[in-house]
Amino acid sequence: ETVIEVKLVDGILTVKNISSLIKDSHINDLFAPFKTLDESRNSKYGGHGLGMHIIKRGIELNGFTFKAHNSGKRVVFMINFNK
């Protein structure tokens, strides 16, 4: 089960995944094309490791920023819509 919190404050969208944690050393791998962090999920749900790469690239092409980091036992994704 995945549980998320979503907030939009002052042009910054924050999405917290509060049901899983990614190793700090793997955070940047989230955005690498054709990279999957959990092969067991890949075989169960399919996919090629492109989703996060495409999302980040699309956001950046529109002049915004997209970052991820761990915060306690949460993965936090932040999109800054301020230019």
Side-chain angles (χ1 to χ4, degrees):
E1 178 179 335
T2 300
V3 179
I4 62 170
E5 293 176 6
V6 179
K7 292 181 184 178
L8 178 61
V9 178
D10 296 329
I12 299 174
L13 177 68
T14 304
V15 179
K16 296 179 181 178
N17 178 345
I18 56 178
S19 60
S20 65
L21 183 66
I22 297 171
K23 293 179 183 177
D24 288 334
S25 60
H26 291 201
I27 287 289
N28 288 331
D29 291 340
L30 281 172
F31 306 114
F34 303 106
K35 180 79 172 179
T36 54
L37 300 182
D38 185 347
E39 293 296 331
S40 64
R41 286 181 50 91
N42 189 39
S43 62
K44 184 176 180 181
Y45 297 107
H48 298 286
L50 286 172
M52 295 297 285
H53 173 74
I54 291 169
I55 291 169
K56 184 175 194 272
R57 185 75 176 122
I59 290 167
E60 290 174 344
L61 284 171
N62 284 286
F64 307 117
T65 58
F66 183 40
K67 297 180 180 180
H69 68 275
N70 283 322
S71 176
K73 293 188 176 188
R74 301 174 175 181
V75 178
V76 179
F77 300 93
M78 296 180 73
I79 302 170
N80 187 338
F81 291 106
N82 299 304
K83 289 189 178 184

